[in-house]
Amino acid sequence: MARPRILVVGAGFAGVECVRRLERRLSPGEADITLVTPFSYQLYLPLLPQVASGVLTPQSIAVSLRRSRKHRTRIIPGGAIGVDPAAKVCVIRKITDELVDEPYDIIVLAPGSVTRTFDIPGLIDHARGMKTLAEAAYVRDHVIAQLDLADASHDQEERASRLQFVVVGGGYAGTETAACLQRLTSHAVRRYPRLDARQIKWHLIDIAPKLMPELGDRLGLVALEILRRRGIEVSLGVSVAEASADKVTFTDGRVLPCRTLIWTAGVVASPLIATLDAETVRGRLAVRADMSLPGADGVFALGDAGAVPDLVKGGDAVCPPTAQHAMRQGRKVADNVIASLRDQPLQPYEHQDLGLVVDLGGRDAVSKPLGVELRGLPAQAVARGYHWSALRTNVAKARVLTNWVLNAVAGDDYVRTGFLARNPATLRDFEHTDAYLSAEQVRAHTAALRASGT
């Protein structure tokens, strides 16, 4: 009798935790485990701003899957672009662009998210994201290039536009990105004899009325004061009305000469979710508390892909798509997959919030572990201690710790690698949002497979 086939889509926090748990708790002959991911690493997303600012090297937060797994899981290098729950087939585009069809008995959907965009003129062509390792590396090169070009220019208008930076999004990603990059550019002035620190201007804008509301009013105001004290202009209740190559227009009518627009205004579930043609909640699959999808046999969804009911808050609340939840959901869904294989009852996901940490670079941070409000060095120690402990391999921990120590002792460097200099580097290019099939295309594809007998 053939062994059950478990297919896990995505190597983010949820997918990796699920695979690790399955490998530990399933006997070698109990099931076949396959993981679909375009990269052979788990990206530790919360530290991307530190890669963009050069505090950490890209390799530091790319945690090797080959090093952390037990060599039982088969890894398909590619991305899932469609799922047919009726046929129990997942369509995968390999990194060679070859399409393959992967049958499954149980599928765990943890494909993560993509940057949320709006129908704003020029946004797709001129904004840069901060969701992938390539985007962080590109943003770093781009920001340093603006300093280089401004220092070399005799044109005051060009210099002004190159030294003005806009970050959209007052959540964790946007706030930490603006803080870390502002710190980089403020330190860089000492290395550029023709630049003045007063010429470099950073703007952080968000349509929301508060900065990082999850922190609470008091800590949110502390974070706001830290940013403004460092010279970052924070504008709330404002967004982008239009973007071009050398200027950004805000919804309040301001027009800024600007060559750098970093877009971190939220995320949406992977386009893969739409291919299932199932009920969604704000773009995420409407799953039960045990993370199974109603009406679809053997389908589980979690993390950014699943609107998992928040049993602690009750009502219609769903768990926020954070790394903290994704890791715990990954372990719980693995237990439920095993339970379904062994004809045991599935268990609901419940959580206890561990708190929040925000690293603003240097000695600046705000944290709220288990409801305790911290700021300054104690908050920084908690933030970095949490991130360091969450890294899954000792090699990754050693690299991150070494980079932190080196940066603290030697300071920043301002080297451009240049390997992405000629790429258009749009959101679509880096996140491959146009690679997915529609639900109708997936069904037609699998129907053709059945008709051909393959």
Side-chain angles (χ1 to χ4, degrees), residues 199-216:
Q199 297 174 302
I200 301 175
K201 298 178 182 179
W202 280 87
H203 301 262
L204 176 62
I205 70 171
D206 197 312
I207 196 65
K210 294 181 181 180
L211 188 72
M212 293 183 293
E214 301 90 344
L215 283 173

Side-chain angles (χ1 to χ4, degrees), residues 131-250:
K131 276 285 293 172
T132 68
L133 203 55
E135 284 174 316
Y138 176 87
V139 165
R140 172 172 168 75
D141 267 20
H142 176 79
V143 168
I144 295 174
Q146 302 316 298
L147 300 180
D148 290 344
L149 290 165
D151 185 65
S153 177
H154 296 291
D155 186 322
Q156 293 303 315
E157 290 186 3
E158 179 192 357
R159 179 177 290 192
S161 68
R162 293 197 183 280
L163 296 180
Q164 197 138 230
F165 305 90
V166 176
V167 179
V168 183
Y172 298 108
T175 302
E176 291 186 338
T177 296
C180 290
L181 286 172
Q182 183 274 335
R183 185 172 177 271
L184 173 71
T185 57
S186 65
H187 290 174
V189 172
R190 291 170 291 183
R191 308 294 182 183
Y192 291 86
R194 300 182 66 245
L195 298 185
D196 187 318
R198 292 170 295 182
Q199 297 174 302
I200 301 175
K201 298 178 182 179
W202 280 87
H203 301 262
L204 176 62
I205 70 171
D206 197 312
I207 196 65
K210 294 181 181 180
L211 188 72
M212 293 183 293
E214 301 90 344
L215 283 173
D217 290 343
R218 190 158 49 186
L219 275 188
L221 285 174
V222 170
L224 184 60
E225 289 169 4
I226 290 171
L227 296 178
R228 285 177 170 163
R229 186 178 69 242
R230 284 165 50 174
I232 299 174
E233 183 175 327
V234 181
S235 301
L236 300 174
V238 177
S239 189
V240 172
E242 186 175 356
S244 68
D246 58 3
K247 67 182 178 181
V248 176
T249 304
F250 292 168

Side-chain angles (χ1 to χ4, degrees), residues 55-64 67 388 391 393-406:
V55 173
L56 299 176
T57 61
Q59 192 178 11
S60 302
I61 66 168
V63 184
S64 172
R67 188 180 288 273
W388 185 82
L391 293 165
T393 68
N394 290 330
V395 170
K397 290 180 178 180
R399 284 186 177 133
V400 167
L401 186 59
T402 301
N403 284 177
W404 280 338
V405 171
L406 182 62

Side-chain angles (χ1 to χ4, degrees), residues 431-448:
E431 299 186 30
H432 308 291
T433 53
D434 56 352
Y436 297 84
L437 303 177
S438 67
E440 292 76 13
Q441 288 174 318
V442 173
R443 288 195 294 268
H445 181 81
T446 54

Side-chain angles (χ1 to χ4, degrees), residues 348-361:
Y349 169 73
E350 294 187 63
H351 73 283
Q352 178 186 1
D353 195 357
L354 295 178
L356 307 164
V357 295
V358 182
D359 187 338
L360 299 175

